[in-house]
Amino acid sequence: MPSWSSLARPEFVYGGYSAGACVAGPDLRGIDLIDDPDTLPEGYPPGIAPECLRLVPYRIVPHWRSAHAEAEGAERAAAHLADSGLLHECLRGGEMVNVDATTGWAG
């Protein structure tokens, strides 16, 4: 599984949209306020635990304050994560996180 250390490799690139961005973080805490964690795609066994890629050390909240059907849930998730003191990054529609392995900059 990739990890934060994978970002030090210059050939490593990851791209994800919506849930694909969420799984780049350490876990899905707060994201259950956007999507029902008990909903499984067809073919997945019941009780399967979600795993994240740990590419960044914070949770990514997509659709925050954007014109998206899940914007209200994203607002709840962001507030919950802030109230809980959990590291997170909120992204509006069209925004992205760029982590530069040479500087560690994210934004």
Side-chain angles (χ1 to χ4, degrees), residues 61-87:
V61 180
H63 313 305
W64 182 72
R65 297 187 179 170
S66 60
H68 191 279
E70 294 181 337
E72 187 177 318
E75 193 71 35
R76 286 191 307 272
H80 169 75
L81 292 167
D83 290 346
S84 301
L86 296 170
L87 290 175

Side-chain angles (χ1 to χ4, degrees), residues 1 5 15 23 29 35-36 44-45 55 59 63 78 82 85 90 94 101-102:
M1 172 180 295
S5 63
V23 299
R29 291 177 17 196
D35 291 319
D36 181 357
Y44 280 74
L55 298 175
R59 289 135 200 98
H63 313 305
C90 295
T102 61

Side-chain angles (χ1 to χ4, degrees), residues 4-84:
W4 181 250
S5 63
S6 296
L7 296 175
R9 297 174 48 198
E11 71 278 10
F12 184 80
V13 176
Y14 175 81
Y17 170 79
S18 194
C22 296
V23 299
D27 57 48
L28 294 174
R29 291 177 17 196
I31 302 306
D32 59 330
L33 299 171
I34 302 172
D35 291 319
D36 181 357
D38 296 322
T39 301
L40 289 175
E42 189 175 322
Y44 280 74
I48 191 166
E51 291 188 35
C52 290
L53 298 173
R54 298 179 187 91
L55 298 175
V56 294
Y58 47 82
R59 289 135 200 98
I60 296 177
V61 180
H63 313 305
W64 182 72
R65 297 187 179 170
S66 60
H68 191 279
E70 294 181 337
E72 187 177 318
E75 193 71 35
R76 286 191 307 272
H80 169 75
L81 292 167
D83 290 346
S84 301

